[in-house]
Amino acid sequence: MNFSADDHRYMQQALRLAETATRRAAPNPGVGCVLVRDGAVIGEGATLQVGGDHAEIQAIKDCYARGLSPAGATAYVTLEPCSHHGRTPPCAGRLITEKIGRVVAAMVDPYHEVAGRGIAMLQAAGIPAEAGLLEAEARRVHRGFLSRVSRQRPWVTLKAAATLDGKTALLNGVSQWITAADARRDVHALRAANCAVLTGSGTVLADDPQLTVRDTPCLRQPTRVVLDGALATSPTARIYDAGVAPVWLATTVTDETRLQPYRARGVTVLALPAPAGHVDLAQLLRELASAGINELMVEAGAGLHGALLQAGLVDEMVLYLAPYLAGDAARGLFAWPALTSLDDKLALEVLELRMVGRDLRLTLRPRPD
């Protein structure tokens, strides 16, 4: 594949549009599209909410709103145009109808209803169409959707805040506030970028959190998911106010008498009985994916953090480090078995490091050592 510098530039513009649409479009992918003719952008768009226009249609409408025609233009799209009729007609068909001159996609859509058929439809109509321009960048932007359709689980981001010596709370449980206000606002922005937030019963019992997005723009509140295998949390806890934001309860308890008080508050109960009394984390993620959750943020304690890491279910970590020490007796970040060899350590790749106010923010990804 031979792509020009201009091809790269316009696809980068499409990827920026896609980033703005990712949360809005979920569970669909937030695609970006740029129409270019004779070296000028004549239309651009990004996917709307479910049931609304896809990026290609928005770009075509934008073109007409400028008093122009999309005929003969090159369409730069961050994901292969769809070829099937779902809630909306196929975008590949609309591009053909509009007599688009060329289509460049960042990547093929792995969804089984598309999976190369969009490119094939365009080519069969005589339109040059190819995929693979800035694919790595597109996979990053579309990671939640790709994870859900390819792995049947959301993209999982684990967020934690600690002191420089890796402590999340004092021995007596006091943890508010480890980080400063700037970092806490950043956490709210991170929540807003995710479809759902997962926490454990220990966090609910200790902090009675809401886990909603506040003090930052939010298109829609993420679903809160409480993991409470033994049903130790009270149905009156603040997090179970479904009028504030949707909430799920994942538990091994199946006794409807015990579950009814939660249902009465509008909570969606997910009963996942297990012999060991612990919710199967992989099964929980599959259930969330089947409900259309693309991106899941985890805000919990050392136990759930450690269990997810040991199960290999964490894709990325965002760690906020406050510049002070809490001492050896304070509580740590992850519940982890004692190692007898450094060969057994969990290796992490640093993706980003920056300051947020006075605190350090690290974005990391587990990697084979």
Side-chain angles (χ1 to χ4, degrees):
M1 289 175 287
N2 241 343
F3 296 113
S4 69
D6 282 343
D7 288 335
H8 281 78
R9 180 160 56 91
Y10 294 127
M11 185 60 79
Q12 287 167 346
Q13 185 172 340
L15 287 165
R16 287 192 293 270
L17 290 168
E19 287 178 333
T20 68
T22 297
R23 181 67 180 92
R24 174 181 71 199
N28 291 336
V31 177
C33 177
V34 175
L35 299 178
V36 178
R37 188 174 58 227
D38 299 327
V41 173
I42 62 171
E44 59 181 25
T47 307
L48 300 180
Q49 291 91 339
V50 172
D53 290 339
H54 289 190
E56 298 91 328
I57 310 307
Q58 279 287 289
I60 289 168
K61 287 182 175 179
D62 181 43
C63 181
Y64 281 119
R66 301 180 190 210
L68 303 171
S69 166
T74 295
Y76 295 91
V77 194
T78 60
L79 193 65
E80 174 187 11
C82 60
S83 55
H84 66 294
H85 199 303
R87 293 185 178 91
T88 58
C91 293
R94 180 64 181 273
L95 293 173
I96 294 168
T97 300
E98 297 291 346
K99 297 182 171 55
I100 292 293
R102 176 185 176 222
V103 175
V104 179
M107 62 176 293
V108 170
D109 187 342
Y111 182 55
H112 66 91
E113 295 273 15
V114 187
R117 295 183 184 89
I119 296 292
M121 180 186 293
L122 292 161
Q123 291 173 340
I127 298 175
E130 52 191 332
L133 174 59
L134 298 180
E135 180 170 347
E137 291 85 343
R139 287 189 173 278
R140 174 68 184 169
V141 171
H142 297 308
R143 61 191 181 277
F145 170 76
L146 297 176
S147 178
R148 183 173 63 80
V149 301
S150 299
R151 303 188 298 177
Q152 289 73 56
R153 70 169 179 83
W155 178 270
V156 176
T157 299
L158 189 156
K159 166 264 164 182
T163 59
L164 281 181
D165 52 350
K167 304 303 180 181
T168 62
L170 301 182
L171 192 60
N172 62 10
V174 173
S175 62
Q176 293 182 335
W177 295 99
I178 285 179
T179 53
D182 288 336
R184 297 199 295 272
R185 279 192 294 270
D186 196 66
V187 169
H188 282 272
L190 190 61
R191 282 181 194 163
N194 282 265
C195 297
V197 179
L198 171 67
T199 195
S201 57
T203 299
V204 175
L205 291 169
D207 300 333
D208 195 21
Q210 286 184 295
L211 293 185
T212 53
V213 176
R214 303 179 298 279
D215 302 324
T216 192
C218 181
L219 292 169
R220 48 178 166 161
Q221 287 285 344
T223 297
R224 284 92 46 87
V225 183
V226 179
L227 181 63
D228 186 0
L231 217 57
T233 57
S234 168
T236 62
R238 293 198 305 164
I239 200 167
Y240 292 125
D241 185 353
V244 174
V247 56
W248 284 33
L249 169 62
T251 182
T252 62
V253 174
T254 57
D255 182 352
E256 191 56 39
T257 303
R258 295 184 64 193
L259 296 176
Q260 186 53 40
Y262 302 88
R263 296 191 195 276
R265 295 201 69 185
V267 174
T268 298
V269 175
L270 186 60
L272 301 171
H278 299 289
V279 171
D280 184 318
L281 295 174
Q283 183 182 359
L284 172 59
L285 294 186
R286 288 192 295 270
E287 295 287 346
L288 294 177
S290 69
I293 301 298
N294 287 345
E295 296 94 7
L296 175 70
M297 177 177 171
V298 181
E299 293 191 67
L304 182 51
H305 286 172
L308 286 164
L309 281 167
Q310 288 180 67
L313 296 174
V314 175
D315 297 302
E316 200 163 274
M317 295 169 54
V318 177
L319 179 59
Y320 297 87
L321 292 179
Y324 56 87
L325 307 177
D328 184 60
R331 299 182 182 183
L333 273 167
F334 310 109
W336 200 260
L339 302 183
T340 57
S341 169
L342 284 177
D343 292 337
D344 299 326
K345 66 184 180 297
L346 177 65
L348 301 170
E349 176 187 3
V350 179
L351 303 178
E352 183 189 44
L353 186 154
R354 61 184 170 90
M355 297 301 297
V356 179
R358 73 181 189 195
D359 300 311
L360 178 64
R361 171 178 158 149
L362 286 164
T363 303
L364 310 136
R365 183 177 296 168
R367 63 169 176 83
D369 199 358

